[in-house]
Amino acid sequence: MRAFVEQSRVPTFVNGMGRGLLPADHALAFSRARSLALKQADLVLVAGTPLDFRLGFGRFGDAQVVHLCDAASQVATHAELAASTAGDLASTFATLAESGAPASTHDDWATRLRDDEERSAPRRSRLLAADSAPIKPTRIYGELRSGSTAMRS
C-alpha cells in the first residue's frame, strides 16, 4: 500500500487495523481531516474495511467509490461502486503501484488537509491534558500511547 500511496501521491487515512501501513509522520498520512477529505474527494478507494456506518455506508458526496476487499463476500452490495475487486490486498496494491500510472497532483489538497489537522491540534492537546472527572477517553488514549505511568498509580 505504501508504494501505491507514494507513487500516486494520494492523501491516505487508515483505521485501527491499518495502522502502521504508513508511518504516522508520513507526508501523505492523515488522521483527523477525514471528514473534510471525504467531502472534497472525487474518488475514494476503500481497502480492507466494510462500507458500514463508520464510513457513511459508502456515500461520499459526488465521489466515485472503489472497494477493495480480500474476499468477494465482503464487497459492498448496498453502495454504488465505480469498481471493486476481491483478493489479496498486498498483491492488489503491488499491481496498482506497478501500473505506472502517473502521480496525481494532490499536493495542494494534501496541504489543505494538513492545515486542517494542525488547526485542530490545540483542541486535541487540551483534551489530552484534561484533568476532569470523569476522565476524558482522549486523555486515557494519549497516556497509554505515550507510555505515561501517571495513570498507573
Side-chain angles (χ1 to χ4, degrees), residues 128 135-152:
L128 288 169
I135 192 168
K136 301 246 185 259
T138 306
R139 180 175 163 210
I140 294 170
Y141 172 75
E143 290 192 17
L144 290 172
R145 188 168 183 221
S146 71
S148 172
T149 58
M151 293 190 58
R152 295 183 191 147

Side-chain angles (χ1 to χ4, degrees), residues 46-68:
V46 178
T49 196
L51 293 175
D52 61 13
F53 68 95
R54 294 169 289 191
L55 289 175
F57 297 100
R59 291 183 217 97
F60 307 111
D62 294 331
Q64 293 187 333
V65 179
V66 175
H67 198 196
L68 308 178

